[in-house]
Amino acid sequence: MPSPHGRCHYLHNCNRDKYHHNYCGQGVTSDSGTHENVRDEDELVGAIVMGAQYYALKEHSIYRVTWAKNPLLDAQPQLAAMRGAINHNCADQHENILYIMDEEGPYAFQGNGVQPIGTPIADQWSDQLLDFSKKSTWSVRVDPLEELVYYFVTGSGDSGDRPRRALVYDIRTKTWSKWTYSWDIGDSVKLTYSNQRRLLMGVSND
């Protein structure tokens, strides 16, 4: 993951207020803390780079993290939004826009504000329709070729522990559709094929 300072960062082992990131090629690990807290119970779930900015994702908030020389010594987190992410898989980016899912629903984030794109499907976002007990398996993935955002969720009454449905946002038309699958969605990955970026899904059909 390229950083604003030309290095790569990988986030792992998040706890409430610290993110641990490795510098590519250096083999070292450092800890940086989001000391500015707005909610004591707000857990850190992940981080992502968008453009030249590094963002720490918490359950109910997003922080922009900057540093002068070394994030171990002088990291400065600043509150960027009062929306967060359900887990580290619930954020993906496309053309300098983050598409994220938190417990309030889907939304978009451009670094300077939140776009409530999930308003048209607000009636689908309830514990009567979705199984929040399996939210650790939820994810957000953007298909860069088709410009579709897949918000993978588990529905109430669905068999298995992983998502079998997706709320799909069309970036071009700004419309929503609901997709269902006959198998569990494990994860998705973007690959370049014939000079085009494509989204591939891994599933279980046993």
Side-chain angles (χ1 to χ4, degrees):
M1 180 183 292
S3 80
H5 299 274
R7 293 175 178 174
C8 295
H9 295 262
Y10 296 100
L11 190 91
H12 62 94
N13 297 332
C14 295
N15 58 35
R16 174 157 294 183
D17 295 312
K18 288 190 176 182
Y19 48 90
H20 309 269
H21 46 86
N22 291 332
Y23 297 103
C24 293
Q26 296 187 14
V28 298
T29 301
S30 62
D31 299 344
S32 301
T34 52
H35 301 297
E36 179 186 358
N37 296 307
V38 292
R39 303 184 184 183
D40 288 341
E41 75 279 8
D42 201 8
E43 297 285 347
L44 181 66
V45 299
I48 194 166
V49 171
M50 181 175 67
Q53 299 293 329
Y54 190 94
Y55 294 95
L57 305 177
K58 304 189 83 175
E59 287 183 324
H60 305 288
S61 55
I62 300 175
Y63 283 81
R64 183 182 299 106
V65 183
T66 59
W67 58 88
K69 294 182 179 180
N70 187 334
L72 175 62
L73 302 176
D74 55 16
Q76 295 294 325
Q78 297 178 321
L79 183 65
M82 287 298 295
R83 296 284 299 268
I86 287 176
N87 61 56
H88 69 282
N89 286 319
C90 285
D92 199 6
Q93 63 176 303
H94 179 68
E95 296 185 349
N96 289 321
I97 298 178
L98 287 178
Y99 294 92
I100 312 178
M101 173 168 53
D102 65 3
E103 291 189 353
E104 297 180 38
Y107 67 99
F109 175 72
Q110 288 185 279
N112 57 359
V114 169
Q115 300 176 26
I117 60 173
T119 301
I121 57 166
D123 61 329
Q124 299 294 314
W125 202 263
S126 71
D127 55 9
Q128 295 179 341
L129 298 175
L130 301 179
D131 189 346
F132 283 83
S133 70
K134 302 173 183 177
K135 65 182 182 181
S136 63
T137 66
W138 295 7
S139 63
V140 177
R141 293 292 181 267
V142 179
D143 183 332
L145 183 62
E146 301 296 335
E147 290 195 301
L148 298 175
V149 188
Y150 294 84
Y151 290 85
F152 294 107
V153 294
T154 51
S156 297
D158 287 355
S159 60
D161 294 324
R162 306 196 65 85
R164 289 198 171 194
R165 64 181 69 191
L167 301 171
V168 183
Y169 179 68
D170 189 315
I171 297 173
R172 299 168 186 166
T173 63
K174 303 185 186 305
T175 57
W176 287 89
S177 58
K178 291 177 285 185
W179 294 25
T180 57
Y181 306 88
S182 57
W183 51 77
D184 293 347
I185 302 297
D187 202 352
S188 305
V189 64
K190 296 174 190 176
L191 296 176
T192 300
Y193 179 76
S194 297
N195 296 319
Q196 293 180 318
R197 293 284 285 171
R198 299 173 181 268
L199 183 70
L200 299 182
M201 300 180 190
V203 303
S204 171
N205 59 1
D206 52 13

